[in-house]
Amino acid sequence: MNKNKTAKKILINGIVQGVGFRPFVYQLALKHSLKGEIANTSEGVSIHVEGPKTDIEEFTADLKSNPPSLAKITGVLSLPDEVKGCRDFKISESMNSRAMSTLISPDVSVCDDCIKELFDPEDRRFRYPFINCTNCGPRYTIINNIPYDRINTSMKKFTMCEECRKEYDDPSNRRFHAQPNACDACGPHVSLYDNKRQKIETDDPVMKAAEHLKQGRIVAIKGLGGFHLAVDAENDEAVKELRKRKLREEKPFAVMSFNMEKISGYAFFSSDEALQLKSIQRPVVLLKKKGDNALSRWISPGNRYYGVMLPSTPLHYLLLEKDFRALVMTSGNMSEEPIAIDNEDAFNRLSGIADFFLVHDRDILIRSDDSIINCQSGDHSFIRRSRGYVPVPVFLKNSQSAVLGCGAELKNTICITKKNNAFLSQHIGDLENRATYDFYRSAIDHMKRILEIKPEILSCDMHPDYLSTRYALEQGNKQIVRVQHHHAHIAGCMAENRLEGDVIGLSFDGTGYGPDGTVWGGEILIADLKAYKRVSTLSPVAMPGSSAAIREPWRMGISYLYEAFGEDLFDLDIPLSGKIPAKDIKIIAEMVSKKINSPMTSSLGRLFDGVSAVCGIRTHVHNEGQAAMELEMMAGNDIKTCYDYVWEREDNVYKVNPVPIIKGIVNDLSGKTGAGTISSRFHGTLVKMYSELCSVISADTGLDRIVLSGGVFQNSVFTRGLVSALEDRGLKVYTHKLVPPNDGGISLGQAVVAAAVIKS
């Protein structure tokens, strides 16, 4: 009989651990009457299979074509193997090997099967807050090392009871080798405390917490990637109190609802938005508000949109079951600090905010904030890529050196490349305090450990004062490649779109260090992955007070007005004049004219700020990009009317002069034109001007691929209009789909530029 048998060794790479892959292969082997074994390795999974040649071929074809829904196969290597005379097909213990190259699954939301059991009074896991199976639940945030086995997770301290162990060992059970598998008898438990660390004695801590929320209290809730701070989204006073205690004056809060029916009561959603909301990643999705809805107006003041998500854990479902339309679910931190992940840290940092703490004893090993997605531009794009998506890599077109991209100062992420995989970290945040910088360093160490990559090449920004740059320079005996900020933006977008060769790159943002010593941000580059040339820029203006002009955009308004009108700006009858004292305006105008503490900037983001201030929409901001966002919110659907604009060519660089635009806006303001109309015309001007300029540069260079990157492209009105106008001119447009266009995508660009520079 053995003479008719052949044997194969099949090595599978990809996301194949913790996603039901081994029981899938087990059932597939039984279907094809094959013998052998399968085991997790540090490289993925290893399969030995033996039987008739045709059966093995059919088995291999099924393996590739119909894997489990959470699995992602990136490589299959099939090799001849020795026939061992196996009597059955078995699932073996995990095997260690020299190099770790398996891909780790991200955390995914609780599945429909588990939710059904959660609310089934006859099920032994009825109302158990940690119900999960092979198809759902925590992964990345509880893993300390690979292979992804229970001993390498924060579940190792929980010994499975007899019933759970039976499920875990049964290949036909959907909880087979589900590493977080547990029940009320053997697994993690929830407890409720007040903010003085006194335990609240109750039979049902979750329902008791829900009662406190109904009474207007603030509850800190331990989730998948960290703590949330929650209040009833319909309670004005509770939302205002949360803002006051969290020191978050106006930045929008996210909300969570039990189901789509609840969401439909306060927000509109398209089929694409519904698809994103219900996806296993459970991101926050920006949805347009419905008028006169019941949610507190303090959730997202000055904004047309809510950030909305569905529950991702059984604990969330149990909380929201108590007839809430929505709960505010915002990050469990003080503004600008990392999200709290362990109970002690939460008590220490959040006791001044939360009235109660709903905690549990399953440790979170790596923090991961909620991901945020915007579907307003046709396709979805990330504002923040974190929980649910990390650590799934961006798959690069070509294999490259192991590089650590250290990221930017704001919205920081890091990126580690290995062969053709680029692993971006979860959202780390703004590197402006010690706590975030400590998180930054620990995130690097964690990723290097679980990926077993020790990059010898580090890539960082050119800005000498970024903490991410300092980190790179402090790592001795490493090769350092410093990458210009806006080149990194374009390279990151090229990498995720798998582009090579020269492109026309529009890199528009608020701030980036220019090699000429000015602040860039309104640049058009001819770029490939290893080099760039600036071919257009917004004519620079003074940035009075330097970083103070970011917090107080009225300063940029005065700078643009001075550029357009000189001393005559004091005679203008515009909204800004009524909001800022005349003496302050004169001081800023003098700083501009005498170039006192006023670095020059070509930033398009600062132009948005200045226009917002000139129109009286926003003179001071409490969070980054607030002035530009509120200007965008004022725009209507008709952006075809525009102001005069002009550019001139100087030393082979097209310099866009903002003065005609500013004069047109002031003329409209003098005629009492509304801010909404002005915003629409301003957006329309930028769309027409930059689409026309790209057409000119395309004719100059023969290039027809346009790459859009930078924080300005979070503006849906501008992005949607520009993409359409460029395509109407026959140009091919590439935008971000896998990483954010803002500085959250910078690390990817840094890594691929460094690899290209080293290779060349």
Side-chain angles (χ1 to χ4, degrees):
M1 186 177 294
N2 282 347
K3 292 181 180 179
N4 298 323
K5 281 188 177 181
T6 60
K8 289 282 186 182
K9 183 175 184 178
I10 304 172
L11 303 175
I12 311 288
N13 294 121
I15 300 176
V16 289
Q17 293 187 15
V19 294
F21 196 81
R22 286 183 296 172
F24 158 74
V25 172
Y26 175 86
Q27 297 291 344
L28 202 60
L30 296 184
K31 172 186 171 183
H32 291 282
S33 302
L34 298 174
K35 315 299 183 185
E37 65 178 338
I38 179 173
N40 278 341
T41 74
S42 295
E43 297 175 349
V45 297
S46 174
I47 304 168
H48 170 82
V49 64
E50 51 189 54
K53 181 180 179 181
T54 55
D55 291 348
I56 292 177
E57 289 173 349
E58 291 174 3
F59 166 84
T60 306
D62 283 351
L63 192 69
K64 296 176 182 178
S65 64
N66 190 33
S69 59
L70 298 185
K72 187 173 182 65
I73 295 174
T74 60
V76 178
L77 179 62
S78 182
L79 302 169
D81 206 359
E82 177 187 352
V83 176
K84 300 176 181 178
C86 298
R87 296 186 177 184
D88 54 17
F89 193 91
K90 65 179 182 178
I91 298 175
S92 301
E93 293 297 315
S94 296
M95 300 182 295
N96 291 323
S97 79
R98 203 159 39 92
M100 294 183 180
S101 59
T102 189
L103 302 182
I104 300 165
S105 171
D107 302 290
V108 292
S109 64
V110 58
C111 68
D112 290 343
D113 288 332
C114 284
I115 293 172
K116 184 178 179 181
E117 293 174 349
L118 180 69
F119 292 111
D120 180 1
E122 302 302 316
D123 193 275
R124 73 184 189 91
R125 290 188 175 88
F126 176 56
R127 300 188 64 79
Y128 180 58
F130 302 95
I131 191 169
N132 71 90
C133 69
T134 309
N135 302 317
C136 67
R139 284 165 172 77
Y140 180 61
T141 53
I142 64 168
I143 191 170
N144 191 50
N145 214 330
I146 60 171
Y148 176 62
D149 289 333
R150 194 175 179 107
I151 196 171
N152 290 326
T153 75
S154 59
M155 287 297 296
K156 68 179 180 181
K157 66 182 181 181
F158 300 101
T159 302
M160 281 183 279
C161 65
E162 186 176 340
E163 286 187 87
C164 286
R165 170 57 70 177
K166 188 182 297 183
E167 295 168 335
Y168 184 87
D169 290 335
D170 181 1
S172 66
N173 192 290
R174 82 171 198 281
R175 290 189 168 90
F176 174 75
H177 278 225
Q179 304 307 337
N181 189 38
C183 69
D184 188 62
C186 65
H189 288 94
V190 173
S191 301
L192 183 65
Y193 289 79
D194 65 19
N195 58 8
K196 294 180 174 56
R197 307 193 189 201
Q198 297 298 309
K199 187 174 182 179
I200 309 298
E201 296 300 333
T202 172
D203 292 336
D204 194 335
V206 179
M207 290 306 295
K208 192 68 176 177
E211 289 173 15
H212 286 306
L213 288 165
K214 275 293 183 185
Q215 293 164 7
R217 304 298 183 87
I218 301 171
V219 180
I221 300 166
K222 191 174 183 180
L224 265 183
F227 277 80
H228 285 109
L229 290 164
V231 294
D232 185 348
E234 294 184 88
N235 189 322
D236 257 359
E237 294 305 314
V239 177
K240 285 195 290 184
E241 186 63 22
L242 177 57
R243 286 201 175 279
K244 178 182 174 182
R245 295 187 195 178
K246 189 174 159 68
L247 304 179
R248 184 165 171 171
E249 295 185 54
E250 294 181 340
K251 190 175 182 181
F253 286 142
V255 297
M256 179 185 287
S257 287
F258 187 83
N259 55 27
M260 298 300 295
E261 182 181 357
K262 296 282 189 183
I263 294 171
S264 68
Y266 58 83
F268 299 99
F269 50 82
S270 65
S271 57
D272 183 46
E273 287 163 342
L275 194 65
Q276 295 300 326
L277 283 164
K278 292 187 285 188
S279 69
I280 59 173
Q281 293 86 3
R282 288 295 200 270
V284 175
V285 180
L286 301 188
L287 302 180
K288 192 170 183 178
K289 296 176 180 177
K290 285 187 173 180
D292 298 323
N293 69 76
L295 299 196
S296 169
R297 68 185 187 281
W298 301 105
I299 290 172
S300 59
N303 199 312
R304 293 178 186 171
Y305 299 94
Y306 290 126
V308 183
M309 57 182 156
L310 288 170
S312 55
T313 72
L315 180 61
H316 293 144
Y317 274 101
L318 293 171
L319 266 176
L320 286 157
E321 182 194 21
K322 194 174 173 60
D323 198 32
F324 292 101
R325 191 180 303 272
L327 289 176
V328 167
M329 284 283 193
T330 188
S331 299
N333 58 2
M334 291 291 283
S335 292
E336 312 309 327
E337 290 184 354
I339 187 173
I341 59 171
D342 68 73
N343 299 347
E344 186 66 21
D345 182 41
F347 283 127
N348 288 336
R349 289 202 282 137
L350 304 180
S351 289
I353 305 176
D355 300 306
F356 295 94
F357 289 76
L358 189 62
V359 302
H360 58 74
D361 52 353
R362 185 180 69 199
D363 293 335
I364 300 170
L365 299 183
I366 186 74
R367 58 174 51 87
S368 192
D369 283 272
D370 299 318
S371 297
I372 307 175
I373 282 179
N374 183 2
C375 299
Q376 304 304 315
S377 299
D379 290 309
H380 75 269
S381 63
F382 285 98
I383 294 174
R384 186 165 75 197
R385 181 182 183 268
S386 202
R387 177 187 55 76
Y389 299 92
V390 173
V392 176
V394 173
F395 297 105
L396 305 175
K397 185 172 185 179
N398 299 308
S399 182
Q400 68 167 58
S401 306
V403 180
L404 167 61
C406 295
E409 185 81 347
L410 303 180
K411 297 180 174 65
N412 181 275
T413 63
I414 62 107
C415 176
I416 299 179
T417 56
K418 182 177 184 179
K419 297 182 180 177
N420 66 335
N421 296 320
F423 298 93
L424 275 82
S425 72
Q426 68 275 40
H427 169 78
I428 293 171
D430 299 348
L431 301 183
E432 296 179 334
N433 58 63
R434 183 70 195 185
T436 309
Y437 186 58
D438 288 344
F439 171 32
Y440 171 79
R441 295 173 65 95
S442 69
I444 293 174
D445 291 342
H446 186 264
M447 287 192 71
K448 287 197 295 187
R449 182 173 68 256
I450 65 171
L451 299 172
E452 203 177 70
I453 306 173
K454 296 179 180 178
E456 294 300 316
I457 303 166
L458 273 63
S459 181
C460 62
D461 198 274
M462 294 176 66
H463 198 299
D465 295 329
Y466 279 4
L467 284 177
S468 53
T469 301
R470 293 184 184 181
Y471 171 86
L473 298 178
E474 289 168 1
Q475 309 307 305
N477 302 318
K478 304 290 184 183
Q479 188 165 2
I480 307 294
V481 178
R482 301 181 74 160
V483 180
Q484 200 280 325
H485 189 90
H486 300 92
H487 182 207
H489 268 308
I490 299 304
C493 191
M494 291 179 67
E496 70 163 84
N497 284 286
R498 303 165 74 87
L499 300 179
E500 293 179 319
D502 285 341
V503 300
I504 300 172
L506 277 61
S507 193
F508 295 161
D509 62 5
T511 302
Y513 187 84
D516 59 359
T518 66
V519 181
W520 285 17
E523 321 310 320
I524 301 181
L525 312 176
I526 301 299
D528 62 13
L529 292 180
K530 62 180 179 294
Y532 73 95
K533 177 176 69 173
R534 182 162 71 158
V535 293
S536 175
T537 183
L538 194 62
S539 294
V541 299
M543 194 173 167
S546 189
S547 61
I550 300 173
R551 298 186 300 272
E552 301 177 2
W554 69 269
R555 293 172 179 248
M556 289 308 307
I558 298 302
S559 183
Y560 283 110
L561 291 171
Y562 189 88
E563 190 75 16
F565 298 99
E567 298 291 331
D568 291 340
L569 76 88
F570 301 113
D571 300 322
L572 298 175
D573 180 19
I574 57 175
L576 178 59
S577 304
K579 291 178 177 284
I580 303 297
K583 62 181 180 62
D584 291 346
I585 293 176
K586 288 182 179 180
I587 290 170
I588 296 303
E590 188 172 357
M591 288 176 66
V592 171
S593 65
K594 295 182 178 180
K595 297 181 171 56
I596 300 170
N597 189 23
S598 298
M600 302 302 286
T601 181
S602 59
S603 164
L604 187 60
R606 297 287 81 83
L607 177 59
F608 271 90
D609 284 356
V611 170
S612 181
V614 167
C615 293
I617 296 170
R618 176 59 67 171
T619 57
H620 297 72
V621 299
H622 300 290
N623 49 274
E624 187 200 9
Q626 186 178 8
M629 180 201 71
E630 293 190 12
L631 178 65
E632 177 194 354
M633 294 300 115
M634 300 291 291
N637 293 324
D638 181 12
I639 59 168
K640 298 195 181 300
T641 308
C642 63
Y643 298 111
D644 291 338
Y645 56 86
V646 65
W647 63 71
E648 53 190 22
R649 196 170 189 181
E650 185 179 311
D651 298 327
N652 292 321
V653 175
Y654 291 100
K655 292 194 172 179
V656 176
N657 189 345
V659 166
I661 300 173
I662 298 297
K663 286 185 173 180
I665 289 170
V666 169
N667 185 61
D668 270 355
L669 290 169
S670 299
K672 306 305 178 186
T673 301
T677 299
I678 292 173
S679 176
S680 297
R681 289 176 180 173
F682 174 65
H683 281 83
T685 303
L686 296 183
V687 166
K688 184 177 179 185
M689 178 176 71
Y690 279 114
S691 61
E692 186 176 315
L693 184 52
C694 283
S695 188
V696 170
I697 294 171
S698 177
D700 290 344
T701 61
L703 302 174
D704 65 353
R705 297 183 299 173
I706 313 294
V707 171
L708 309 181
S709 187
V712 169
F713 290 106
Q714 290 178 172
N715 181 318
S716 298
V717 174
F718 176 52
T719 303
R720 187 169 56 243
L722 183 59
V723 169
S724 178
L726 289 168
E727 289 176 343
D728 285 346
R729 291 176 177 271
L731 300 170
K732 302 170 187 172
V733 186
Y734 298 88
T735 59
H736 287 279
K737 305 281 192 306
L738 305 178
V739 301
N742 59 42
D743 283 5
I746 281 282
S747 61
L748 172 62
Q750 291 172 339
V752 295
V753 168
V757 168
I758 296 299
K759 185 177 180 180
S760 67

